[in-house]
Amino acid sequence: MRYPFPPISKQKQVHAWAITPDATALEQLANGIWDCAVQTKTRPLVVLSTAGPLIGIRAALEKYRPNHLDPQIAFLPQVISFTDWLEAAPGAWKFPKKQTDLERWLSVFINLRKHKTLQAWFKAESEAGAWGLAQAVIQACDALSELVVPQLQDEFNSLLQTHALDTQAWLKKVEQVLDQAIAKAYVGLSKNVVDEEAAVLLAFWRYLTNAGDPVIRKHLAMSVHLQAAQDSATHKLTHIGPRPFIWVQTADPKPIDQELIDRYLGEYAQWAPVVRTSLDWTNVALWSEALTGQNALGEVASPDTKEERQIQRNIDSSVREGWRLISAKRFEELAWAATKSVESHLISGKKNIALVAQDRLVARRARALLSRLGNALRVRDETGWKLSTTRAAAAFDSLLELVRTPKEGPSASILFEFLQNPYLDLAHSLHKTPESSVGLLAKLEDILVASQAKSGWETFMAAIEKANSYATTHGGSPNQQLIDLIRFVNQLHGQWQNPVFTCAQAYQLLQSQLEITGMAGRLEQDAAGKQLLEALKQFDLGAGPYGELKMRLPEWLSLLKTVIEESSYEEAGKDSQATLSVLPLSSTRLREFDAVVLVGCDEQQLPAFSEPPLFFSDALNRYLKSSTITAQYIQQARDLSQLLVSCPNVDLLWQNKSKSGEPLRSSAWIARLQVALGKNALKILEPNLKPYEGQSQPIQMAIGKPDHDLPIPTTISPSAYKALRDCPYRYYVSSLLGLRKAKEFEEGFDASLAGQTLHALLRNFFHALKTEEKNSHSLIHSGDEARRQWMIEHLTQFSEKEFERLIAGDAKILGTLRDWQKQIPSFIDWQIKRENEGWRYHDAELPVGFAITLKDPDGVEREIRIAGRADRFDIHQSNESIAAVIDYKNQSMKKISDRAKNILDDPQLLIYARGVDENPVAARLPGRTIGQAEWVSLKAKIGEGEKKNGRTHQLEDMPGLMEEFSVQIVQDLNDLWARKPMQAFAPDSVCQYCDARGVCRKGMW
């Protein structure tokens, strides 16, 4: 139903007009605005309560421009949103300075320090929580101001007349009136307050509210606009006086806003024609709540019989042929279904499509899938794409994470996140050429991962110095750039070690570091980076009270992250064949689309309600005349009704199973439509994803068959041979194909690094012991007890020295040192007992091995060398023909005993023994053979468990084991060189930590 535009009379009252929000809504509105222009012979001012329909209305005005217009009104009427209209108030420069959101949050911080009572009440678990609480306080204070400030409208109007020419006096008077009103309202509201939270809020409101608040500026702007209309009418400042004012209410207002605009329209009508335009839902509402709205109690009004019949007529006359209901089982399936729906509309020639993000995660995923279409589809995201989700923000966050680490230094992961961010200019930072910086980070990562240097500047430097030392002694050259790089980042980190900064100091230091690292220049060249730099400019607070405000670094960094999180990223537009608008349901009001895809139409997400204010219940919101859950419910019913009625093609999609696997029904609104139309008229469809589906074959047990051209290694380490015995397929993947799992840092203190450290300190200790034994005056020659004390003391010293730099980098490693130090007395007792049996330490970390000659399938003789490094060799003082090989294990005796049960599958000791027997000179053991082989636990149980389990496990029947091992290894190597199939068959204990598991896919066959 269309309503004619009312005739403009000379009566000083507001004219009421309504439009039907269906497919012709913009046409109705445009024709009415032109009718007003023709009647008044003046370009009217059209103000929209929301900005969404702005462009559509301007386009409609152009499209439906009447013919033969008076030249005086030929230009398009001015159409502006309410927010922009307020900002365009005449003489707005006289208003109190507008506070940014950041300044308002900081004002909460300042008032906390001023007022001790607030400090006692205001508590948050973290810095981020504190700033979130500050936002909630500001939001709640604005709600209180919305209730109180309208009472000052008359005072504002009179102040404008009295102090129009004296800006300073006017501002002072405004602040005085505001203070009086707050003090008066505070007393009245306090009487109704019974809980502590409300008391806190009122106290904040009293201290924080000032003339620069948005609510105050809004009322001042409306007063200025009204004063301008009055001046124009009474003094004829223009030829035609004040312009006609058309107010378009595009959404149901809050009661407090309704009162405000009603009052303004009534006062403006005294000086110029005013038309209040509302939306009539009689012929559009598809559900009763969309038609009846709220009753006097703020509840959903019940429909009468006439209204129920009207709703059924609306449903029957709707364009339901264009509606599609699509239900998917899983998240990914729903995202693909949404993508398929958009693509189908594009294929059918539709150019203007909306993706309504009721489920924002699905909408994001669908948008990513649609990026495959490239420049053919322009995507306009109106859902508020967070700046914090962009690559530029992630790179900037890596700097903040580095800054907030303790003085000992960051973890390696935080270090590399910063160094590998694409906006860091290494060459610029180190004052080197770009060519010299190539591969620098890869070298650093290899060194730190290999040494498991997980955190701390000392640890990083020790790892690099160790690598440089190794390179020097093995014919390479040390890399000074790596040291320069760590020092550079350490310097950046060190500049933030002051306990307290002023906001101005912190901002200047941050800007300086962005310049030094080259990040500022690279961010400036990126669309998101440029917006990030603009967001950071908010922190340029100058020398005012906010700039001089002191706070701890974690507080300032958390504030910085909060500001970035609140900022939105705006994509640059581009020319394309079609446009997809990603938007919330509320943004579809009075807008035209060729097709709409709405995702998230399940009972949990449609309708969706905004988070209630932290301090207010729904009842208190009703008292404050603010938005309530009931009002939101009704508005969404109306928005969805308008969308379904006005758009020719609407796809409603939802996921019918929750994350926990529980069934999810469609929204109650959809179910009610199905009942009204009959389920056969509105069937739920399965998503058609055939182009995206594939067929798979069941995976069989992994078997690798070495190709004839695949080289077989001629050198095998003990660990490689163990891999061959554990699982041939594992050896095939790691040793023949050369595939390796990407090196990474282990959680906690890596066991292998602990073992390496213990091996190193034991080697150094025993070398020192051999040197000390040559000193005839040493205390170690004064009996077993003196020798024992000397050994315990010096092994403890060597241990602390070896662990010192590791602990400096990561204090948690101190626990590993303490565990080892508890083992030292027991270990020394074992060593003395061994010495009393005639054994003496000989050497450590010696390379030993042996060769096996065999023929490959082509008849060519091949020599395979099996070699490794033995932890320790001992010699017997009374028997010059035997020696012993010892392998340290940083494991419990139980694990060592389990290892011994499968000695032929892990023949490390047997390999060392055979290597010495075949070539004793290479092992510096001329004339000796291995007569004893044993494992020594560095994690033995101390006390009663030690006596029961001991510290060592010696191999029994060495000759028999050696003979059996020799036969086995020849057979295994013959099979390897014969290139027989290598099957995956290892037990779960082996597969659990296997790097090749991602290739063999065990668990899927």
Side-chain angles (χ1 to χ4, degrees):
M1 178 179 179
R2 294 197 178 192
Y3 297 91
F5 190 81
I8 303 297
S9 66
K10 293 186 178 181
Q11 296 180 356
K12 296 181 178 182
Q13 63 183 18
V14 178
H15 299 81
W17 181 47
I19 61 172
T20 302
D22 56 13
T24 65
L26 293 182
E27 179 185 354
Q28 298 173 56
L29 190 55
N31 288 333
I33 293 171
W34 281 120
D35 193 338
C36 178
V38 170
Q39 289 189 51
T40 60
K41 300 186 183 305
T42 308
R43 289 176 62 227
L45 171 63
V46 183
V47 180
L48 311 179
S49 64
T50 59
L54 192 63
I55 297 176
I57 292 175
R58 288 172 179 168
L61 286 169
E62 183 65 46
K63 180 178 180 180
Y64 299 105
R65 182 199 298 267
N67 297 323
H68 313 298
L69 278 175
D70 187 326
Q72 191 173 348
I73 58 173
F75 290 107
L76 287 182
Q78 183 182 3
V79 183
I80 190 171
S81 70
F82 181 58
T83 302
D84 291 341
W85 176 71
L86 292 175
E87 290 298 321
W93 58 271
K94 296 189 298 183
F95 293 176
K97 181 181 179 296
K98 181 179 180 180
Q99 287 188 309
T100 65
D101 289 339
L102 174 60
E103 289 173 335
R104 300 190 76 196
W105 299 342
L106 289 173
S107 67
V108 175
F109 193 87
I110 291 174
N111 276 280
L112 277 174
R113 293 186 173 178
K114 282 183 180 179
H115 307 287
K116 298 297 183 183
T117 54
L118 294 181
Q119 288 181 17
W121 285 333
F122 190 93
K123 291 182 174 64
E125 295 181 358
S126 63
E127 287 82 8
W131 294 118
L133 200 53
Q135 290 175 273
V137 167
I138 294 295
Q139 182 184 7
C141 289
D142 284 346
L144 290 174
S145 296
E146 289 276 16
L147 181 67
V148 173
V149 174
Q151 304 169 20
L152 307 180
Q153 199 68 52
D154 290 338
E155 284 85 345
F156 287 163
N157 293 342
S158 62
L159 284 175
L160 284 170
Q161 296 175 358
T162 307
H163 298 281
L165 300 179
D166 190 345
T167 302
Q168 293 300 322
W170 179 73
L171 286 177
K172 188 173 181 180
K173 189 65 177 175
V174 166
E175 292 176 357
Q176 182 180 352
V177 169
L178 181 62
D179 289 342
Q180 292 172 354
I182 290 174
K184 181 179 179 181
Y186 176 79
V187 174
L189 288 170
S190 297
K191 293 178 181 179
N192 298 323
V193 168
V194 294
D195 63 326
E196 189 177 58
E197 274 194 355
V200 175
L201 176 60
L202 285 177
F204 267 116
W205 178 65
R206 184 175 188 179
Y207 295 132
L208 293 178
T209 305
N210 62 69
D213 288 354
V215 176
I216 314 299
R217 287 177 59 88
K218 176 172 74 173
H219 286 78
L220 289 175
M222 296 182 74
S223 295
V224 168
H225 276 299
L226 188 63
Q227 183 67 37
Q230 181 180 352
D231 292 344
S232 179
T234 56
H235 302 296
K236 296 298 180 182
L237 298 180
T238 64
H239 296 295
I240 55 175
R243 289 190 288 170
F245 189 96
I246 300 178
W247 172 259
V248 182
Q249 190 70 55
T250 58
D252 296 341
K254 295 183 294 185
I256 191 68
D257 291 337
Q258 183 70 64
E259 292 177 6
L260 176 65
I261 197 64
D262 285 350
R263 178 173 180 171
Y264 179 83
L265 295 179
E267 293 178 345
Y268 193 97
Q270 305 306 307
W271 313 108
V274 173
V275 179
R276 181 198 290 112
T277 307
S278 59
L279 304 181
D280 178 42
W281 298 97
T282 304
N283 297 304
V284 175
L286 300 179
W287 302 280
S288 59
E289 54 268 34
L291 178 59
T292 59
Q294 298 184 69
N295 59 23
L297 299 176
E299 301 169 344
V300 176
S302 300
D304 55 27
T305 304
K306 180 181 178 182
E307 289 170 332
E308 288 178 344
R309 286 199 296 267
Q310 180 62 48
I311 291 168
Q312 187 62 46
R313 284 197 296 270
N314 293 345
I315 294 174
D316 293 337
S317 62
S318 60
V319 289
R320 58 183 181 275
E321 295 80 10
W323 300 347
R324 288 192 299 180
L325 307 184
I326 302 174
S327 172
K329 295 178 181 178
R330 299 181 302 276
F331 171 87
E332 189 69 11
E333 185 178 300
L334 181 59
W336 275 107
T339 303
K340 182 71 174 176
S341 294
V342 172
E343 289 180 351
S344 66
H345 291 310
L346 291 172
I347 292 171
S348 64
K350 295 177 176 60
K351 304 294 185 184
N352 185 20
I353 302 171
L355 176 61
V356 179
Q358 201 70 15
D359 186 327
R360 297 185 67 159
L361 291 178
V362 172
R364 290 274 184 232
R365 177 60 179 149
R367 177 203 169 129
L369 294 172
L370 287 166
S371 63
R372 299 170 300 118
L373 301 179
N375 292 330
L377 180 67
R378 178 194 177 194
V379 179
R380 297 176 63 247
D381 196 330
E382 301 177 27
T383 59
W385 185 352
K386 296 290 187 184
L387 184 62
S388 59
T389 63
T390 62
R391 186 177 66 156
F396 178 72
D397 187 64
S398 70
L399 174 60
L400 301 187
E401 287 300 312
L402 174 72
V403 162
R404 72 188 313 157
T405 55
K407 62 180 181 180
E408 292 80 12
S411 67
S413 59
I414 290 177
L415 175 68
F416 281 112
E417 281 181 16
F418 170 66
L419 291 177
Q420 292 172 345
N421 90 70
Y423 298 89
L424 175 65
D425 190 339
L426 273 182
H428 175 83
S429 302
L430 300 177
H431 306 289
K432 304 289 183 182
T433 61
E435 294 77 16
S436 65
S437 302
V438 174
L440 192 62
L441 295 184
K443 293 177 184 176
L444 178 62
E445 186 171 14
D446 287 343
I447 290 172
L448 297 190
V449 171
S451 61
Q452 286 295 302
K454 296 178 187 174
S455 63
W457 301 120
E458 283 293 329
T459 309
F460 299 152
M461 291 297 288
I464 295 171
E465 289 169 3
K466 183 177 178 181
N468 282 347
S469 176
Y470 180 86
T472 303
T473 57
H474 288 74
S477 57
N479 194 327
Q480 180 61 34
Q481 281 197 71
L482 293 176
I483 295 177
D484 293 342
L485 177 59
I486 294 298
R487 286 175 177 168
F488 170 74
V489 183
N490 189 359
Q491 183 181 13
L492 295 179
H493 177 258
Q495 291 173 343
W496 293 96
Q497 295 310 302
N498 291 340
V500 176
F501 288 88
T502 67
C503 290
Q505 289 172 342
Y507 174 74
Q508 291 300 328
L509 180 55
L510 179 64
Q511 291 295 322
S512 171
Q513 293 199 347
L514 289 176
E515 291 291 341
I516 291 171
T517 57
M519 290 181 66
R522 291 189 174 183
L523 287 170
E524 189 66 39
Q525 297 171 10
D526 179 83
K530 188 176 293 185
Q531 293 180 39
L532 175 66
L533 293 176
E534 284 297 318
L536 293 181
K537 288 182 180 178
Q538 298 178 56
F539 286 83
D540 188 5
L541 300 169
Y546 298 121
E548 296 302 317
L549 177 63
K550 292 182 178 180
M551 61 177 67
R552 295 182 299 109
L553 179 62
E555 292 173 332
W556 189 81
L557 291 177
S558 181
L559 175 61
L560 186 61
K561 287 192 172 187
T562 302
V563 169
I564 295 174
E565 184 65 32
E566 292 296 315
S567 303
S568 296
Y569 170 59
E570 298 177 8
E571 274 188 298
K574 61 182 180 181
D575 294 331
S576 58
Q577 301 174 22
T579 299
L580 175 71
S581 298
V582 185
L583 68 176
L585 180 61
S586 59
S587 294
T588 62
R589 297 168 193 156
L590 297 183
R591 292 176 65 175
E592 295 178 341
F593 298 101
D594 299 333
V596 173
V597 177
L598 199 159
V599 293
C601 299
D602 58 78
E603 58 185 338
Q604 293 182 352
Q605 299 187 96
L606 185 66
F609 303 106
S610 60
E611 289 291 329
L614 185 63
F615 296 95
F616 297 155
S617 64
D618 207 48
L620 187 54
N621 276 328
R622 192 175 294 115
Y623 170 74
L624 295 175
K625 302 177 184 179
S626 188
S627 176
T628 63
I629 292 177
T630 302
Q632 295 177 41
Y633 175 71
I634 292 171
Q635 185 61 61
Q636 287 183 71
R638 289 176 170 175
D639 289 341
L640 187 56
S641 294
Q642 176 188 341
L643 187 66
L644 291 171
V645 168
S646 62
C647 185
N649 295 279
V650 180
D651 296 340
L652 304 173
L653 295 85
W654 68 94
Q655 186 175 337
N656 57 32
K657 283 191 177 180
S658 66
K659 292 180 180 178
S660 60
E662 296 293 325
L664 271 180
R665 294 174 296 184
S666 63
S667 169
W669 287 330
I670 295 177
R672 287 161 66 184
L673 280 181
Q674 287 180 297
V675 171
L677 289 170
K679 288 200 173 183
N680 292 331
L682 204 57
K683 292 183 178 180
I684 297 177
L685 307 176
E686 293 289 329
N688 179 18
L689 303 177
K690 287 184 178 179
Y692 310 112
E693 292 177 346
Q695 295 183 351
S696 60
Q697 296 291 335
I699 296 178
Q700 304 297 325
M701 182 180 289
I703 300 176
K705 187 172 182 180
D707 188 79
H708 186 270
D709 296 328
L710 187 66
I712 305 293
T714 56
T715 301
I716 297 179
S717 67
S719 60
Y721 181 70
K722 181 179 183 297
L724 179 63
R725 291 293 301 173
D726 284 343
C727 176
Y729 188 79
R730 177 183 183 182
Y731 180 83
Y732 169 73
V733 170
S734 59
S735 295
L736 299 189
L737 298 182
L739 300 180
R740 296 283 191 279
K741 182 181 178 181
K743 291 182 179 180
E744 56 187 21
F745 293 97
E746 305 291 339
E747 289 295 327
F749 184 40
D750 180 40
S752 64
L753 180 56
Q756 293 169 23
T757 306
L758 292 174
H759 281 54
L761 69 88
L762 286 172
R763 182 188 66 241
N764 295 339
F765 165 72
F766 280 113
H767 284 173
L769 176 63
K770 288 182 70 174
T771 303
E772 186 70 15
E773 286 176 335
K774 296 176 183 179
N775 180 5
S776 59
H777 301 291
S778 174
L779 290 175
I780 62 174
H781 300 301
S782 302
D784 284 352
E785 185 58 31
R787 183 180 181 87
R788 180 178 185 273
Q789 290 302 321
W790 185 95
M791 294 172 74
I792 291 175
E793 180 183 342
H794 284 75
L795 182 53
T796 301
Q797 292 174 2
F798 275 97
S799 300
E800 291 179 348
K801 182 178 180 181
E802 197 71 28
F803 274 91
E804 182 179 7
R805 295 195 77 173
L806 295 175
I807 294 171
D810 185 357
K812 295 190 293 293
I813 297 175
L814 180 61
T816 304
L817 171 61
R818 294 293 179 250
D819 289 341
W820 161 243
Q821 287 177 329
K822 293 175 184 177
Q823 296 277 332
I824 289 177
S826 172
F827 181 82
I828 295 300
D829 289 341
W830 165 80
Q831 174 65 25
I832 291 177
K833 178 183 177 183
R834 184 167 177 79
E835 290 175 352
N836 291 337
E837 293 172 355
W839 294 102
R840 285 291 185 270
Y841 172 84
H842 176 65
D843 212 338
E845 303 294 333
L846 292 178
V848 292
F850 60 92
I852 293 177
T853 302
L854 49 80
K855 289 185 178 181
D856 65 13
D858 297 327
V860 179
E861 285 194 351
R862 302 285 185 179
E863 184 179 274
I864 313 299
R865 181 162 180 81
I866 298 89
R869 283 183 175 268
D871 288 346
R872 169 175 165 180
F873 287 111
D874 283 3
I875 57 175
H876 202 280
Q877 287 183 315
S878 59
N879 189 341
E880 296 184 357
S881 65
I882 64 171
V885 60
I886 292 176
D887 191 54
Y888 296 130
K889 292 297 180 188
N890 192 32
Q891 298 174 340
S892 66
M893 282 304 300
K894 184 180 183 304
K895 288 188 176 181
I896 292 176
S897 298
D898 293 340
R899 180 188 293 266
K901 293 175 184 177
N902 302 296
I903 181 62
L904 293 177
D905 289 332
D906 185 11
Q908 189 177 19
L909 287 174
L910 300 179
I911 290 173
Y912 298 149
R914 180 169 172 176
V916 173
D917 291 348
E918 293 192 7
N919 190 1
V921 176
R924 302 175 191 171
L925 295 166
R928 293 181 185 265
T929 59
I930 297 299
Q932 186 184 97
E934 59 185 293
W935 286 291
V936 176
S937 171
L938 302 181
K939 262 189 178 178
K941 285 189 177 180
I942 307 298
E944 292 299 322
E946 180 183 6
K947 296 178 182 178
K948 181 180 178 180
N949 299 312
R951 181 175 291 276
T952 65
H953 187 100
Q954 185 175 328
L955 295 185
E956 304 293 340
D957 188 21
M958 278 285 290
L961 287 175
M962 291 293 290
E963 183 177 350
E964 193 174 351
F965 165 64
S966 297
V967 173
Q968 170 188 286
I969 194 170
V970 171
Q971 181 61 48
D972 289 339
L973 295 181
N974 274 319
D975 291 346
L976 176 61
W977 276 93
R979 301 177 187 274
K980 290 183 178 181
M982 308 181 77
Q983 187 171 339
F985 61 75
D988 290 340
S989 59
V990 173
C991 295
Q992 185 176 3
Y993 301 107
C994 178
D995 289 350
R997 183 159 187 167
V999 181
C1000 86
R1001 301 289 185 185
K1002 184 175 180 181
M1004 300 180 69
W1005 40 264

